[in-house]
Amino acid sequence: MAVRALYIVSNLIIIALNLYMTRVINTKKDMTTLKYVEPAPMGSSEEPKLITTTVHSYDLQQLRSGWKGLLMGVGMMGVMHLYMKYTNPLLIQSIIPLKGAFESNLVKIHLFGQPAIGDLKRPWKAAGGMMGMGGGSEPKADKKSIEEAEKAGRGGVKEE
C-alpha cells in the first residue's frame, strides 16, 4: 500500500511540475526564431528536413513529449500492476521518472534558471532509445547544415 502511495505522489509531483513548466513557458513566450535540421529516422530513405520554429514552440513541443512519456509509463505500470499483479516495478517507477523530470533540460532552464548555452542550447539531442542506441539522431543547428537544407528545399515550413 505504501508503494502505491509513493507511486501516486511521485506522478502527482511530475504532473504539477509539468503544469508549472507550461505556465512559465507561456509567460516567457520567447519568440526567438530557431532553425535546425532534423535528421531522417534511422533506416529510412528520407532526407533530413529543415525545421523553422520559435523557442516557445520548441519548448512546448518538448514538454508535450514529456507528457506522452509520463502517460506511457503510467499506462504500462497500470497494466503491470493491476493486470499482472506486479508491485516491485512501482518502487522503481516512483523514483526514475521523478529524477528524469528534475534533470530535464526544460526544468534546468526554466525552473533552475540556468542559461541555454552549451548542452542546454536548443535544439537538444534526442534521448537515446533502447539501451542508448540511436545515437546518430542529433539535430544539427550549424549554419552549413541549415544552408544545405535550404538549398535542397527540404522542409523550411514554420511549425506553429
Side-chain angles (χ1 to χ4, degrees):
M1 187 65 175
V3 175
R4 286 182 190 165
L6 180 66
Y7 181 72
I8 291 170
V9 168
S10 169
N11 280 304
L12 288 175
I13 290 170
I14 295 171
I15 289 169
L17 182 67
N18 281 348
L19 290 172
Y20 179 74
M21 294 305 302
T22 303
R23 184 170 169 226
V24 169
I25 290 168
N26 285 330
T27 301
K28 286 184 180 178
K29 203 160 192 146
D30 187 354
M31 299 308 273
T32 308
T33 302
L34 178 65
K35 282 186 176 184
Y36 63 95
V37 178
E38 188 177 84
M42 218 155 122
S44 77
S45 60
E46 293 178 29
E47 296 273 332
K49 68 178 182 183
L50 176 67
I51 304 292
T52 304
T53 186
T54 63
V55 170
H56 177 255
S57 321
Y58 183 79
D59 287 354
L60 287 177
Q61 176 189 11
Q62 295 298 312
L63 195 59
R64 249 181 262 119
S65 70
W67 277 109
K68 287 178 187 174
L70 175 68
L71 293 175
M72 286 291 293
V74 168
M76 288 192 314
M77 285 311 303
V79 168
M80 289 178 70
H81 182 65
L82 299 173
Y83 181 70
M84 297 181 191
K85 307 291 186 218
Y86 290 144
T87 55
N88 293 344
L90 284 177
L91 179 63
I92 295 168
Q93 289 301 314
S94 300
I95 300 166
I96 293 174
L98 192 60
K99 178 181 176 280
F102 279 101
E103 290 179 348
S104 75
N105 290 333
L106 283 173
V107 171
K108 287 179 184 176
I109 290 172
H110 294 293
L111 186 67
F112 299 139
Q114 294 181 8
I117 55 174
D119 286 343
L120 295 179
K121 188 172 190 226
R122 296 169 185 93
W124 300 311
K125 296 178 185 178
M130 298 244 327
M131 297 181 284
M133 297 174 89
S137 64
E138 181 180 332
K140 295 177 182 163
D142 60 291
K143 197 171 188 174
K144 182 182 175 200
S145 299
I146 292 171
E147 286 175 357
E148 286 176 7
E150 284 175 341
K151 286 180 186 172
R154 297 182 299 232
V157 177
K158 185 174 181 179
E159 289 186 355
E160 294 291 335

